[in-house]
Amino acid sequence: MLVSTKEIEVRYAETDQMGVVYHANYLVWMEVGRTKLIQDLGFNYAEMEKDGIISPVLDIQISYKKPLRYGETAKVNTWIEEYDGIRVLYGYEIFTNEGELAVTATSKHVCVKKESFRPIVIRKLYPDWHQAYEKAKK
């Protein structure tokens, strides 16, 4: 199983009135983690979009354990929890500077044609991605 890691400095604009990271910003960090994982596998999501393929979110599950604050660095770990050739379930853990678990999450995605939103079979249209995902998944 491949686990990709990305460090993100918490910016002031990402915090709320209580001085902690606003909950929706973790979703953005998860996207950064997915992009890094795809790059670590040797691919580029933007290139797939140029082919008219997009990957919308079907479901997100997130559990907040410990807050992060401005000036801290978040460490986002991302991996492929499940993959069936059509749908991908990514797993995430976000840690504080001190290595404490701040967030656990999953997001489920499917690749579709941008024009019609009809699902594609990744293993047929992108066999290299399919092989890499099969090899890297949990």
Side-chain angles (χ1 to χ4, degrees):
M1 174 177 89
L2 173 68
V3 177
S4 181
T5 300
K6 177 71 175 176
E7 289 190 349
I8 299 172
E9 291 184 34
V10 178
R11 296 167 291 200
Y12 183 78
E14 292 170 319
T15 62
D16 61 17
Q17 193 172 15
M18 295 177 286
V20 299
V21 172
Y22 178 68
H23 69 277
N25 286 311
Y26 291 99
L27 301 176
V28 174
W29 296 354
M30 289 162 55
E31 181 180 329
V32 171
R34 281 193 308 278
T35 300
K36 175 77 164 64
L37 175 65
I38 290 167
Q39 289 172 344
D40 288 351
L41 288 170
F43 303 103
N44 184 318
Y45 179 74
E47 291 300 316
M48 184 184 273
E49 282 195 347
K50 287 179 185 175
D51 292 343
I53 305 299
I54 58 175
S55 183
V57 175
L58 298 175
D59 185 54
I60 295 234
Q61 300 293 321
I62 189 163
S63 180
Y64 302 97
K65 310 286 187 189
K66 185 163 183 71
L68 282 150
R69 292 179 168 78
Y70 171 65
E72 294 182 334
T73 301
K75 184 172 93 170
V76 181
N77 288 343
T78 309
W79 63 91
I80 300 165
E81 185 73 24
E82 297 173 6
Y83 168 71
D84 66 8
I86 298 173
R87 288 169 297 278
V88 182
L89 182 69
Y90 295 97
Y92 311 88
E93 289 180 332
I94 302 176
F95 294 90
T96 67
N97 313 21
E98 295 80 29
E100 295 177 284
L101 186 60
V103 166
T104 60
T106 60
S107 65
K108 186 181 284 188
H109 302 255
V110 65
C111 288
V112 300
K113 294 180 181 179
K114 186 176 183 178
E115 293 175 2
S116 65
F117 260 71
R118 297 194 74 120
I120 64 154
V121 178
I122 298 168
R123 68 178 174 272
K124 289 183 180 179
L125 201 55
Y126 294 97
D128 293 344
W129 282 57
H130 172 72
Q131 288 177 355
Y133 270 53
E134 281 291 338
K135 186 177 177 181
K137 74 180 179 182
K138 187 172 181 182

